[in-house]
Amino acid sequence: MAERPEDHVKCPSCLKINEDPFVLECNHSFCRACLQQHTDKGEKSCPTCGTVFNSMEIPENLTRNEPGIFPAGSATSEALCSLHKEELKLFCLDHQELVCIICRDAEKHEGHKFRPLEEVVGSHKERLQESLLRAKKRLEDYQHLRWNCLEQSTYIPVQKEKIVTEIKKAFEELRNVLNTEEEARLAAVRQEEKIKNERMKEKISALSREMTTLSDSIRHVEEHLASSSLSLMKTFQTTLSRIQKLPDKPELLGEALLGEAHHVGNLKIGDTNVWCLNLTFTWSFEPDPKIPDDPSG
């Protein structure tokens, strides 16, 4: 009978495909484990032909990586049980892990429920898809809020100029007696602008970081969804846990814009002399207006 190609990479001792093959000087190939057991007994000769060898320091059998040497459909090491070297065809519902037919009958899985691998892949993909959709929606929330912050950040300098103009116009009528007070008010506006800009920059930076982290998680899940069923199931719990740990929904920064009403609300005075005589208030830059959703409105 003609030899099959896979016979050349089977270990003559255990009759299984060589997972870690070595070739002796006589060209006979064995599993590393089988050859180690042979030498542990004091044997220094080939188990097949009896040719004596001196050391286990032998070159790796390169035929295991030659194309076409394994039959079509043969299981890769990824698809084999690490304990029994059998194909991982079952999924334990109790332990939520892939098992082979030998694991199914082991004491560890006694009384457990099992399903074929292909039956559970679909439901697990659906769970990942649902979490992925929620993650994408959350990313949209961050994108929308970041855009809103960028809009308000752009409007803050414009708003500052508007406030400065109104302050200067009001104080022109009282320049001789109110020069000191005018400067105090302008300084307050500049100080609040600086504070608000710093707060907005920090908010935008934080949103960008959260978006990057969330985008990485989304990309990670999408890559796993595109991988093989076996790879997906092996990393399912880790991947699902990662995509389910979403950051809190972003919120708009409170009191983001300048307190325009606070700065200019009491500048339009009917009786200038009376206002000057009663100018005893202490100016504060802390704002107290409601922040508009749309600065352009």
Side-chain angles (χ1 to χ4, degrees), residues 160-186:
K160 186 212 76 169
E161 293 301 323
K162 180 173 179 257
I163 295 172
V164 168
T165 300
E166 291 188 22
I167 290 176
K168 287 185 175 181
K169 181 179 178 180
F171 274 91
E172 283 177 0
E173 302 172 4
L174 307 171
R175 183 61 58 193
N176 293 332
V177 294
L178 298 176
N179 187 62
T180 301
E181 185 64 26
E182 178 189 17
E183 191 57 38
R185 287 174 179 262
L186 294 175

Side-chain angles (χ1 to χ4, degrees), residues 156 158-171 181-197 199 255-269 275 279 281-290:
I156 286 175
V158 177
Q159 193 182 28
K160 186 212 76 169
E161 293 301 323
K162 180 173 179 257
I163 295 172
V164 168
T165 300
E166 291 188 22
I167 290 176
K168 287 185 175 181
K169 181 179 178 180
F171 274 91
E181 185 64 26
E182 178 189 17
E183 191 57 38
R185 287 174 179 262
L186 294 175
V189 173
R190 287 191 289 268
Q191 183 180 4
E192 185 181 7
E193 180 204 16
K194 179 180 179 181
I195 293 174
K196 292 296 177 65
N197 266 328
R199 290 177 182 173
E255 298 184 347
L257 299 180
L258 301 182
E260 182 174 352
H262 188 71
H263 285 290
V264 301
N266 61 349
L267 293 180
K268 296 179 181 180
I269 309 300
W275 185 71
L279 189 60
F281 62 87
T282 301
W283 182 257
S284 172
F285 67 86
E286 288 297 330
D288 191 28
K290 295 293 184 178

